Amino acid sequence: MDMVYYENFVKFGLNVAYFRKEQRMSQEQLAELVGVSRLHISRIETASVSCSLSLVFKLADKLGVPASKLLEVRS
């Protein structure tokens, strides 16, 4: 995988983890809400897997943020 793409997956995963924790939600709770396993959420947050666009929107909805917030680069 190209390094730039990998870095984007890492940033996405960090954003998912950030907003999940901000909502005081466990990986298990988020997984249940979006219909995947806790392990899949863990792998998304650690950039071990990518996810579909539909899952991006589900995650954003359940985290209460626009999908663009999950995709943006934060410093």
Side-chain angles (χ1 to χ4, degrees):
M1 179 184 298
D2 185 294
M3 192 57 148
V4 173
Y5 290 123
Y6 178 72
E7 289 173 6
N8 289 332
F9 284 117
V10 170
K11 291 170 190 170
F12 175 77
L14 291 173
N15 287 340
V16 170
Y18 173 83
F19 289 112
R20 176 181 59 76
K21 291 173 185 176
E22 191 175 71
Q23 294 293 321
R24 292 185 165 87
M25 191 181 299
S26 69
Q27 289 180 340
E28 183 73 33
Q29 290 168 318
L30 181 57
E32 188 174 312
L33 289 172
V34 299
V36 298
S37 70
R38 185 213 54 84
L39 183 58
H40 194 69
I41 296 296
S42 175
R43 288 178 175 165
I44 289 170
E45 291 183 353
T46 59
S48 300
V49 297
S50 60
C51 64
S52 68
L53 187 55
S54 63
L55 185 52
V56 171
F57 283 107
K58 284 181 187 178
L59 288 165
D61 179 58
K62 299 307 178 186
L63 293 170
V65 298
S68 61
K69 287 289 188 188
L70 296 180
L71 299 169
E72 78 181 16
V73 177
R74 297 178 306 120
S75 44

